[in-house]
Amino acid sequence: MNDSTVESVAQNRSPEDQEAEGGTKETTYLEAIREAMWEEMTTDPTVFLLGEDVGTYGGAFKITEGFLDEFGPERIIDTPISEAAIVGAAIGAAHMGFKPIAEMQFIDFIAPAFDMIVNFAAKVRYRTGVGAPLVIRGPCGGGAHAGPFHSQNVESYFANVAGLKMVAPATARDAKGLLRAAIRDPDPVLYFEHKYLYRRIKEQLPIDEEIIVPLGSARTHRPGSDLTIVTYGAMVYKADEAASRISEEDGAELEVVDLRTLRPLDTSTIVESVKRTGRVLIVHEAPRFGGFAGEIASQICEEAFEWLDAPIRRVTALDTPVPFSPPLEEYYLPQTADIVDAARWMLAY
Amino acid sequence: MNDSTVESVAQNRSPEDQEAEGGTKETTYLEAIREAMWEEMTTDPTVFLLGEDVGTYGGAFKITEGFLDEFGPERIIDTPISEAAIVGAAIGAAHMGFKPIAEMQFIDFIAPAFDMIVNFAAKVRYRTGVGAPLVIRGPCGGGAHAGPFHSQNVESYFANVAGLKMVAPATARDAKGLLRAAIRDPDPVLYFEHKYLYRRIKEQLPIDEEIIVPLGSARTHRPGSDLTIVTYGAMVYKADEAASRISEEDGAELEVVDLRTLRPLDTSTIVESVKRTGRVLIVHEAPRFGGFAGEIASQICEEAFEWLDAPIRRVTALDTPVPFSPPLEEYYLPQTADIVDAARWMLAY
Amino acid sequence: MFRFLVLSRGLEERLEDLLKQGQVVGDLYDGRGQEATVVGSAFALEEGDWLAPSLREMGALLTRGLDPRMLLLQYLAREGSPSAGRDKAHHLTMPHLGLLGPIGPLGAHLCVLNGVALAFRMRGERRVCLTYLGDGASRTGAAHEGLNLAAVQRLPLVVILIHNRWAFATRSDQQAAVADWIDVAAAYGVPAASVDGNDVLHVYDETRRAVDRARRGEGVTLIVAETYRMRGHAQHDAQEYVPEEELHEWRARDPIDLFERYLIDSGFESRPSLAVVKEAVRRELAAAVEEALSAPMPEPEGARFGTVEGEEIPVPWTRREAVYEDVHQPTLRP
Amino acid sequence: MFRFLVLSRGLEERLEDLLKQGQVVGDLYDGRGQEATVVGSAFALEEGDWLAPSLREMGALLTRGLDPRMLLLQYLAREGSPSAGRDKAHHLTMPHLGLLGPIGPLGAHLCVLNGVALAFRMRGERRVCLTYLGDGASRTGAAHEGLNLAAVQRLPLVVILIHNRWAFATRSDQQAAVADWIDVAAAYGVPAASVDGNDVLHVYDETRRAVDRARRGEGVTLIVAETYRMRGHAQHDAQEYVPEEELHEWRARDPIDLFERYLIDSGFESRPSLAVVKEAVRRELAAAVEEALSAPMPEPEGARFGTVEGEEIPVPWTRREAVYEDVHQPTLRP
Ligand SMILES: Cc1ncc(C[n+]2csc(CCOP(=O)(O)OP(=O)(O)O)c2C)c(N)n1
Ligand SMILES: Cc1ncc(C[n+]2csc(CCOP(=O)(O)OP(=O)(O)O)c2C)c(N)n1
Ligand SMILES: [Mg+2]
Ligand SMILES: [Mg+2]
């Protein structure tokens, strides 16, 4: 997948984009995230942001540049390097009716806050009846040659944790709409933004329309009848590219389902698609063993077993950390060719 | 499942027990863990133990009572309440050729050490070529009315993390043999001991034989031809009980595969069994969504799809934290009746 | 104040009895011997302030207005308890009382309480947060990060570090190499004070000063309460590792006896007037115990409480009425 | 010592050039301006001691004997680098050099180094561990737990807390509310010292004392090195948030200039003799850069390095030669 492909895929993607009546604006994935926070902070005084270097610097990726000037240090809080304390403070403020956004400089650094998320944020409503409407967001994913500690996909660490929601947008529209929905959500939401897409994805987004994408609903990124690819995040573009290639070269049409929300999972969209196509390939960027694909496969087994004309298969990263050097990282990551080959294998089955 | 059932199941379980030539000794699951550490520490001076209250007190469950007197404070280290520091120190000593055992007072408290495990221990061999032969062990599991923070099963948090091994023994023999193997293993092993089994499981174990159970191999707990139950930990006993009931009442024979090691997974034993029975039910004590069953189901799909005569199904706990009050906890946990009903459903399919 | 001391002591005594009768579910971490520390400090708060216990601060919860009946129901894991049996003991968050419940892993509650303090500040409210940290709990990464963030942000927070000499079976000098626990404060640049944790008025005075400071917007204070854990870590712990002389010494400094003597010696109260308080507490507790014992256990289906708003936790498929009829129904291709 | 200062400076300059040429992969966190702190302290160790850097201690690695060519290969992500391209920069553990590599999340390395120190003690070896902690990194829970465990266990450990005024774009006074960073030590009950981090001999002397103390079995020392991060957090950071006067002031106290002047003024060295050292370093680095640039990138399959001993990471099924022929083969029931 080269960058220009990603961009053209993104631009042609969404029919909604073209439909907008008013003006549109070219918006990157990164700008979409920025705008979602800006708009929510502007309209809702209970929304505030805390994290490392989010204020003076505007965040490691400059997503919150200018926020400190606009909203002041009470609502844009530069914290010490203390992820547990960041998430903890967000939980407490959330109990009090605020809607905090806790930024992890890289999503990898969510690990030191693991206890706070899994044992405090996730369980508090069940235990005490008191909710914690917070968002924890940060850049995930590989492809940027950032090595084992700045490239991870962490969804599987939290997949088995009731009480959390998880979001992984692929498009600028969804990045914006899901973040707004996440901020408004009454419960803790982990929001995984893919750093590879930050500046590579550009879409025309309507200026006047308030974009909100409800949590828990998948999006049919590309319709098809012969095989379903279930995926999310940056892999949506590789899946789309593979689908184009198969369409051109093999004449088969792959449906690409972009999950957008991982927890709660939109099982009915997946099952409906699989029942139509009879074949399903799950693609994710995280390693294979114990990855999120397992849950998807299990649910498909449970709900669409009789409709399966081929085994459910997975295309994923290697079962290793994310290697640093570009040739290694490229080998590690699932590539469009893998998806093409997997789809062909399944179509021939 | 009442206690006497657990015990009788355990006692009749292993034909190996009866075979032992020398004398045997009644050994609880807890004693088996204790003996494994004692024997390894006695024979290998590089093995040492660190954790909270493991010395003076002998551990919250008295597993290491007497260790401090025998091995001294250099090798039985009472630490501050600092799980990250405990695991960190274990990693460093492991780099130097020691074989540390890091005890978590309850396995739930592995959460504050999550970063250290996932980002340091698991990745260090891949990144640097230097291994970290340590064991992290602690009591897991529910049924003891210990509430949301002393009852968890944490395997899924680590399932997607390459570089870790995970062990969950069900029998005293395996508790002992797997712990010895884990201590000798050249890489980080998470050892989940089920607190519900500590004193309820008693087996006759041979006195002279050196019991070592290699990591990575499942055990056919009970042979059968009509349906495979794949499970591990305390659920082995509920599965066994369900199998007995089905055998008596329905005349069908369920095979119970006790995984023992979760990572690396013994796929071939699972697949071989499923190919024979054509039906597979996965049972685990952790919540359903995103649980370890997903990986098992995916692998079965990939390798034995054509042999499946019914959908793969799961019996698991509820998708909530572990509730405290006994009636709630009982409802939360998978019960023998659930397994019986699930098996009947599948057999009728 | 005397009433809360006696109430806390009495409730923990009742709970011990109830545990022995198999009525308390799980285990019991009791705070006897430390009542002056927790009652004296909690007493310094005002309405609208928030408090978060660590693991044995029963007296603080009572002082903040939590009904002992609610606590009994919690420990007995009954339906009508604040968490309806889903969690235990002092793990309860009750906004109307300004109570933030801790979780099992120690130290985390401090970080969360910071968020409450942040909220006060963002709302322009002059309210104060107070929390407890064991000598052991102060060694967790969470406690460090939380205390540091609070200090940097000058949050309205008072931290009572309970130096009770033990963390489970580990002596406090194996928890930290400090000569004096007040040294902990230096690392965060916050003012600190040591108090005799068995002297309820001393605790109250010093906490009051810290609370006032916090309320004036002058930030965090750390108070080290020197006291002693008189019982084992939990009821199952016979604390054989504790030197008898040490217990003896501290027993002679029982916080309730000390305060009683003070009240009488200073003429504020008479022995009979205090006996009246004690008797009232005894009766209140007896009635509460009876009530709690007759309260129902939760319905099993109570386990299906939603983990997020509006969530319906489904009945497991194996427990649905129709499970057998279902066969061939949901999955067979039409 | 002078050589290592110059070597570190020179290597980081070369790396900056190489980054601009697109040769350095990823980003570059450089330690220019802090060379005296890291070289002076590392110099105080002996063979067999261990050292763990945090994120910008290039000079310490060189002083401990790491070949600059290896570092170049690491930064260029080449095949022959110590991690064969699987990890980056100073993330390398090399037992023969006594180097423990940190990981991305800050603070963790201190906890791991404790284990090395424990191993020394269990083996009865009088060896010492030394590590660095940024003012920012010291705020992590891991750093707190690690420092505390080391203090309680009286491990042979020296911690250099690098107070360089910044953690990324956050000022150190937003990291901690301490008036003086030496106060951090009090919380752990360990001796502490402050040093002028731009004065290599001062750093060396004080570290030496701490190392000797550790070697005698007297435990941990914390040394606060007062210095300044002269470059942005990483190369992408133009550090517009840094006041020019501050940079100016510190530029006037460049550690290499200071030491050069000292050596000359004190008559230990002459300007020409130092020029010879500089020229030798320049040449060594030029050759090393050339060599590194001609080193091959790793083979893609190098990604399949085992995560546990003896592990064969399989070729993904979609990349196996036989993937198409495989169809119907492995899964069709006979
Ligand atoms: C992170 C974590 N690790 C371990 C435990 C187990 N544990 C519960 S209480 C306790 C001792 C607490 O000591 P301290 O904080 O001094 O409080 P005290 O018991 O003296 O009131 C321990 C180790 C825990 N709750 N959390
Ligand atoms: C746990 C964690 N959170 C965030 C980061 C991102 N990060 C990398 S370096 C850095 C600043 C480090 O500051 P300091 O420790 O003072 O070292 P310095 O940069 O001054 O050398 C940050 C926030 C990280 N590496 N680890
Ligand atoms: Mg204590
Ligand atoms: Mg710094």
Side-chain angles (χ1 to χ4, degrees):
Chain A
M1 176 167 65
N2 59 38
D3 295 357
S4 63
T5 322
V6 173
E7 284 162 27
S8 66
V9 168
Q11 278 173 16
N12 296 329
R13 181 198 53 80
S14 164
E16 297 149 296
D17 296 351
Q18 270 73 45
E19 272 168 33
E21 309 246 319
T24 65
K25 197 181 75 164
E26 187 176 78
T27 310
T28 64
Y29 183 95
L30 185 146
E31 285 159 356
I33 295 167
R34 171 193 177 75
E35 286 174 12
M37 289 193 284
W38 185 279
E39 289 165 21
E40 289 298 308
M41 288 194 70
T42 303
T43 53
D44 182 350
T46 67
V47 180
F48 73 101
L49 176 74
L50 74 172
E52 295 151 16
D53 311 297
V54 296
T56 310
Y57 195 73
F61 291 89
K62 296 281 186 192
I63 294 182
T64 53
E65 196 161 26
F67 276 50
L68 181 60
D69 288 344
E70 177 72 13
F71 301 107
E74 290 269 301
R75 292 179 68 200
I76 304 292
I77 304 175
D78 272 329
T79 68
I81 305 178
S82 300
E83 284 79 8
I86 292 167
V87 173
I91 297 169
H95 282 341
M96 303 296 286
F98 284 83
K99 298 192 156 67
I101 305 170
E103 175 171 309
M104 306 284 105
Q105 199 157 86
F106 285 81
I107 203 67
D108 311 66
F109 303 139
I110 205 169
F114 186 77
D115 181 47
M116 202 60 80
I117 296 168
V118 161
N119 285 324
F120 216 121
K123 296 184 175 46
V124 68
R125 183 187 290 279
Y126 186 79
R127 298 191 303 108
T128 74
V130 178
L134 70 141
V135 174
I136 301 172
R137 44 163 287 273
C140 72
H145 315 320
F149 304 110
H150 298 75
S151 308
Q152 294 177 72
N153 292 288
V154 302
E155 62 273 13
S156 62
Y157 304 159
F158 302 98
N160 196 217
V161 182
L164 297 178
K165 299 182 181 180
M166 294 200 289
V167 164
T171 67
R173 166 180 279 271
D174 287 342
K176 184 164 184 176
L178 287 169
L179 184 48
R180 296 190 70 161
I183 293 169
R184 296 175 185 201
D185 194 88
D187 284 289
V189 182
L190 310 184
Y191 179 96
F192 305 132
E193 45 200 65
H194 203 295
K195 69 176 81 64
Y196 188 82
L197 305 180
Y198 272 159
R199 296 187 168 87
R200 287 183 178 86
I201 295 301
K202 293 188 190 74
E203 294 164 34
Q204 294 294 331
L205 293 188
I207 292 169
D208 296 332
E209 189 195 327
E210 189 179 60
I211 300 178
I212 294 190
V213 176
L215 305 191
S217 91
R219 180 180 66 89
T220 302
H221 175 82
R222 176 188 181 114
S225 50
D226 299 318
L227 182 151
T228 302
I229 299 181
V230 176
T231 189
Y232 53 95
M235 289 298 119
V236 167
Y237 300 99
K238 290 191 177 170
D240 187 276
E241 203 178 23
S244 296
R245 209 183 294 168
I246 297 257
S247 174
E248 281 163 36
E249 298 176 16
D250 306 39
E253 296 307 325
L254 311 193
E255 177 146 309
V256 178
V257 173
D258 171 9
L259 291 177
R260 307 199 288 196
T261 299
L262 305 182
R263 189 174 180 131
L265 186 65
D266 183 356
T267 308
S268 61
T269 296
I270 299 171
V271 167
E272 184 279 321
S273 174
V274 172
K275 285 187 177 173
R276 257 193 297 103
T277 63
R279 288 176 165 79
V280 59
L281 176 67
I282 307 167
V283 180
H284 62 55
E285 194 187 298
R288 176 189 209 72
F289 191 98
F292 194 72
E295 180 59 29
I296 302 169
S298 291
Q299 294 207 11
I300 294 169
C301 270
E302 283 160 358
E303 308 214 1
F305 179 71
E306 291 281 341
W307 283 261
L308 290 175
D309 297 324
I312 303 168
R313 300 217 62 167
R314 297 178 283 179
V315 167
T316 68
L318 248 51
D319 279 321
T320 69
V322 187
F324 171 54
S325 191
L328 305 182
E329 190 183 23
E330 197 183 325
Y331 187 90
Y332 164 88
L333 290 171
Q335 300 297 345
T336 303
D338 294 304
I339 304 174
V340 168
D341 286 348
R344 286 191 175 139
W345 186 95
M346 294 185 71
L347 289 167
Y349 187 93
Chain B
M1 178 166 68
N2 60 37
D3 294 358
S4 64
T5 322
V6 171
E7 283 162 28
S8 65
V9 168
Q11 278 174 17
N12 297 328
R13 181 198 51 81
S14 164
E16 298 149 297
D17 295 353
Q18 271 71 50
E19 273 167 32
E21 310 244 320
T24 64
K25 194 179 78 162
E26 187 176 78
T27 310
T28 63
Y29 183 95
L30 185 146
E31 285 158 357
I33 295 168
R34 171 193 176 77
E35 287 174 11
M37 288 194 284
W38 186 278
E39 289 165 22
E40 289 298 307
M41 288 195 70
T42 303
T43 54
D44 182 348
T46 66
V47 179
F48 73 101
L49 176 75
L50 73 173
E52 294 151 16
D53 312 297
V54 295
T56 310
Y57 194 74
F61 291 88
K62 296 282 186 192
I63 293 182
T64 54
E65 196 160 25
F67 277 50
L68 181 61
D69 287 344
E70 176 73 13
F71 302 108
E74 291 269 301
R75 293 178 69 200
I76 304 292
I77 304 175
D78 271 330
T79 68
I81 305 177
S82 300
E83 284 78 8
I86 292 167
V87 173
I91 298 169
H95 282 342
M96 302 297 285
F98 284 84
K99 298 193 156 66
I101 306 170
E103 175 172 308
M104 306 284 106
Q105 201 158 85
F106 284 81
I107 205 66
D108 311 66
F109 304 139
I110 205 168
F114 186 77
D115 182 47
M116 202 60 79
I117 296 168
V118 160
N119 285 324
F120 216 120
K123 296 183 174 46
V124 68
R125 183 187 290 282
Y126 187 79
R127 297 190 303 108
T128 74
V130 178
L134 71 138
V135 174
I136 302 173
R137 44 164 287 273
C140 72
H145 315 322
F149 304 109
H150 298 75
S151 309
Q152 294 176 74
N153 292 286
V154 301
E155 62 272 13
S156 63
Y157 304 160
F158 302 97
N160 195 217
V161 181
L164 297 178
K165 300 181 180 180
M166 292 199 291
V167 164
T171 67
R173 167 179 280 273
D174 287 343
K176 183 163 185 176
L178 286 168
L179 183 49
R180 296 190 69 160
I183 292 169
R184 295 173 185 205
D185 194 88
D187 284 289
V189 182
L190 310 184
Y191 180 96
F192 305 131
E193 46 201 62
H194 203 295
K195 70 176 80 65
Y196 188 81
L197 305 181
Y198 273 159
R199 296 189 168 87
R200 287 183 178 86
I201 295 300
K202 294 189 191 73
E203 293 166 32
Q204 293 294 332
L205 292 188
I207 291 168
D208 295 333
E209 187 195 328
E210 191 179 59
I211 300 178
I212 295 190
V213 176
L215 305 191
S217 90
R219 179 178 68 87
T220 302
H221 175 81
R222 175 189 183 111
S225 50
D226 300 317
L227 182 152
T228 302
I229 299 181
V230 177
T231 189
Y232 52 95
M235 288 298 120
V236 168
Y237 299 99
K238 290 191 179 171
D240 188 275
E241 203 178 24
S244 296
R245 209 182 295 167
I246 297 255
S247 173
E248 281 163 36
E249 298 174 14
D250 306 40
E253 297 305 324
L254 311 194
E255 177 147 310
V256 178
V257 174
D258 170 10
L259 291 176
R260 307 199 287 195
T261 299
L262 305 183
R263 188 172 182 133
L265 185 66
D266 184 356
T267 308
S268 61
T269 296
I270 300 170
V271 167
E272 185 278 322
S273 174
V274 172
K275 284 186 177 173
R276 258 192 299 104
T277 63
R279 286 174 168 79
V280 58
L281 175 68
I282 307 168
V283 179
H284 62 55
E285 195 186 299
R288 178 187 206 74
F289 191 97
F292 195 72
E295 180 58 30
I296 302 169
S298 291
Q299 294 207 12
I300 294 169
C301 270
E302 283 160 359
E303 308 214 3
F305 179 72
E306 290 281 341
W307 282 261
L308 291 174
D309 296 325
I312 304 169
R313 300 216 64 165
R314 297 178 282 180
V315 167
T316 67
L318 247 51
D319 279 321
T320 69
V322 187
F324 171 54
S325 190
L328 305 183
E329 190 182 24
E330 197 184 325
Y331 188 91
Y332 164 88
L333 289 171
Q335 301 296 347
T336 303
D338 294 303
I339 305 175
V340 168
D341 285 348
R344 286 191 176 140
W345 187 95
M346 294 185 70
L347 289 167
Y349 187 93
Chain C
M1 219 182 238
F2 184 71
R3 193 181 104 80
F4 290 119
L5 292 172
V6 173
L7 186 61
S8 177
R9 174 73 53 95
L11 179 53
E12 297 198 306
E13 284 168 354
R14 288 296 80 68
L15 285 170
E16 187 184 350
D17 298 342
L18 288 165
L19 185 85
K20 287 181 183 147
Q21 295 160 28
Q23 292 288 350
V24 165
V25 176
D27 215 326
L28 198 57
Y29 303 85
D30 97 28
R32 279 180 273 175
Q34 304 177 184
E35 292 94 343
T37 294
V38 301
V39 170
S41 52
F43 215 84
L45 292 180
E46 298 189 356
E47 204 182 314
D49 293 340
W50 274 57
L51 176 144
S54 182
L55 79 155
R56 53 180 106 248
E57 287 80 18
M58 185 74 91
L61 302 182
L62 295 168
T63 304
R64 293 301 291 156
L66 186 56
D67 189 331
R69 286 176 302 185
M70 285 296 135
L71 280 161
L72 277 161
L73 292 172
Q74 277 284 109
Y75 280 88
L76 304 189
R78 303 294 164 120
E79 177 69 50
S81 68
S83 67
R86 295 190 306 278
D87 203 353
K88 64 192 216 182
H90 51 295
H91 288 186
L92 30 82
T93 294
M94 304 178 94
H96 64 288
L97 291 177
L99 287 181
L100 180 86
I103 58 171
L106 294 162
H109 64 283
L110 173 56
C111 295
V112 176
L113 194 61
N114 282 342
V116 175
L118 265 179
F120 291 163
R121 192 173 71 189
M122 285 188 284
R123 285 197 197 140
E125 294 169 347
R126 295 211 157 271
R127 300 209 242 159
V128 173
C129 290
L130 184 144
T131 190
Y132 303 92
L133 211 52
D135 36 22
S138 75
R139 303 300 92 193
T140 60
H144 170 71
E145 293 193 358
L147 198 42
N148 184 62
L149 179 67
V152 172
Q153 285 287 330
R154 296 178 67 82
L155 296 178
L157 177 73
V158 179
V159 177
I160 313 286
L161 198 160
I162 302 187
H163 180 213
N164 64 358
R165 273 65 187 173
W166 295 98
F168 203 156
T170 301
R171 258 201 189 279
S172 58
D173 60 7
Q174 286 175 285
Q175 291 288 341
V178 288
D180 188 327
W181 282 76
I182 203 172
D183 295 344
V184 167
Y188 307 101
V190 301
S194 273
V195 297
D196 176 350
N198 286 19
D199 176 345
V200 69
L201 292 181
H202 190 191
V203 175
Y204 170 78
D205 284 344
E206 206 60 69
T207 310
R208 183 81 218 189
R209 242 190 299 281
V211 166
D212 290 345
R213 198 182 295 138
R215 210 179 299 286
R216 288 195 305 269
E218 294 168 23
V220 181
T221 306
L222 182 86
I223 295 175
V224 178
E226 300 288 349
T227 183
Y228 202 82
R229 190 194 74 197
M230 294 304 294
R231 317 285 304 187
H233 171 59
Q235 283 294 330
H236 66 254
D237 170 16
Q239 56 176 356
E240 282 153 14
Y241 49 85
V242 172
E244 186 47 46
E245 329 69 277
E246 226 175 75
L247 276 173
H248 197 75
E249 255 171 57
W250 283 93
R251 215 172 278 131
R253 302 202 64 255
D254 182 89
I256 302 187
D257 293 349
L258 286 182
F259 191 49
E260 190 164 354
R261 224 175 303 147
Y262 166 82
L263 288 173
I264 293 168
D265 291 354
S266 61
F268 290 127
E269 299 282 351
S270 66
R271 200 167 295 278
S273 72
L274 294 178
V276 168
V277 174
K278 286 184 184 175
E279 178 55 19
V281 163
R282 203 193 55 72
R283 271 206 236 121
E284 178 184 348
L285 286 174
V289 166
E290 206 162 317
E291 195 178 316
L293 282 172
S294 66
M297 290 302 273
E299 288 301 316
E301 297 248 341
R304 290 171 52 217
F305 192 85
T307 65
V308 295
E309 196 180 277
E311 187 183 24
E312 282 274 350
I313 307 285
V315 175
W317 66 282
T318 47
R319 295 179 199 166
R320 291 192 199 128
E321 292 287 327
V323 55
Y324 294 110
E325 292 114 69
D326 253 18
V327 173
H328 291 110
Q329 192 108 35
T331 49
L332 270 203
R333 197 167 182 165
Chain D
M1 221 183 236
F2 185 71
R3 193 181 105 79
F4 290 120
L5 293 172
V6 174
L7 185 61
S8 177
R9 175 73 54 93
L11 179 53
E12 296 199 305
E13 285 168 354
R14 289 297 77 71
L15 285 170
E16 187 183 352
D17 298 344
L18 288 164
L19 184 85
K20 286 181 183 149
Q21 295 160 30
Q23 292 288 349
V24 165
V25 176
D27 215 324
L28 199 58
Y29 303 83
D30 97 27
R32 280 181 274 176
Q34 305 178 182
E35 292 94 342
T37 294
V38 301
V39 170
S41 52
F43 214 84
L45 292 181
E46 299 190 356
E47 205 181 313
D49 293 340
W50 275 57
L51 176 145
S54 181
L55 81 156
R56 53 180 106 247
E57 287 80 17
M58 184 75 89
L61 303 182
L62 295 167
T63 304
R64 292 302 292 158
L66 186 56
D67 188 333
R69 286 177 302 187
M70 285 296 136
L71 280 162
L72 278 160
L73 292 172
Q74 277 284 110
Y75 280 90
L76 303 190
R78 302 295 165 119
E79 177 70 51
S81 67
S83 68
R86 295 191 304 279
D87 203 352
K88 63 192 215 182
H90 53 292
H91 287 184
L92 29 80
T93 294
M94 304 177 93
H96 64 287
L97 291 177
L99 287 180
L100 180 86
I103 59 171
L106 294 162
H109 64 283
L110 172 57
C111 294
V112 176
L113 194 62
N114 281 343
V116 175
L118 264 180
F120 291 163
R121 191 174 69 187
M122 285 187 284
R123 285 196 196 138
E125 293 170 349
R126 294 211 160 271
R127 300 208 243 160
V128 173
C129 290
L130 183 145
T131 190
Y132 302 93
L133 213 50
D135 37 23
S138 75
R139 301 301 93 193
T140 60
H144 169 71
E145 293 193 357
L147 198 42
N148 184 62
L149 179 68
V152 171
Q153 286 286 329
R154 295 178 67 85
L155 296 178
L157 176 73
V158 179
V159 177
I160 313 287
L161 198 161
I162 303 188
H163 181 214
N164 64 358
R165 272 66 185 169
W166 295 99
F168 200 158
T170 302
R171 261 202 188 279
S172 58
D173 60 7
Q174 287 175 283
Q175 290 287 341
V178 288
D180 187 327
W181 281 76
I182 203 172
D183 296 341
V184 167
Y188 307 100
V190 301
S194 272
V195 297
D196 176 350
N198 285 21
D199 176 345
V200 69
L201 292 181
H202 190 189
V203 175
Y204 171 79
D205 285 343
E206 206 58 69
T207 311
R208 184 81 218 189
R209 239 190 301 279
V211 166
D212 291 345
R213 197 181 297 139
R215 211 179 297 286
R216 288 195 305 269
E218 295 168 22
V220 181
T221 307
L222 182 85
I223 296 175
V224 176
E226 300 288 349
T227 182
Y228 202 83
R229 190 193 75 196
M230 295 303 295
R231 319 284 303 188
H233 171 60
Q235 283 294 329
H236 65 255
D237 169 17
Q239 53 177 357
E240 280 152 14
Y241 50 84
V242 172
E244 184 49 43
E245 331 69 276
E246 225 175 74
L247 276 173
H248 197 75
E249 256 172 55
W250 283 94
R251 215 173 277 129
R253 304 203 62 253
D254 182 89
I256 303 188
D257 293 350
L258 285 182
F259 191 46
E260 190 164 355
R261 224 174 305 146
Y262 166 81
L263 289 172
I264 293 168
D265 291 354
S266 60
F268 290 127
E269 299 282 350
S270 65
R271 199 167 297 277
S273 72
L274 293 180
V276 168
V277 175
K278 287 183 182 175
E279 178 56 18
V281 164
R282 204 193 54 73
R283 272 206 235 121
E284 179 185 348
L285 285 174
V289 166
E290 208 162 316
E291 197 179 311
L293 283 172
S294 67
M297 289 304 271
E299 289 299 320
E301 297 247 341
R304 290 173 51 219
F305 192 85
T307 65
V308 295
E309 196 179 276
E311 188 184 23
E312 284 272 352
I313 306 285
V315 175
W317 67 283
T318 48
R319 294 179 200 166
R320 292 193 197 126
E321 292 286 327
V323 56
Y324 293 111
E325 293 115 68
D326 255 17
V327 172
H328 291 109
Q329 193 107 38
T331 48
L332 269 204
R333 195 168 182 166

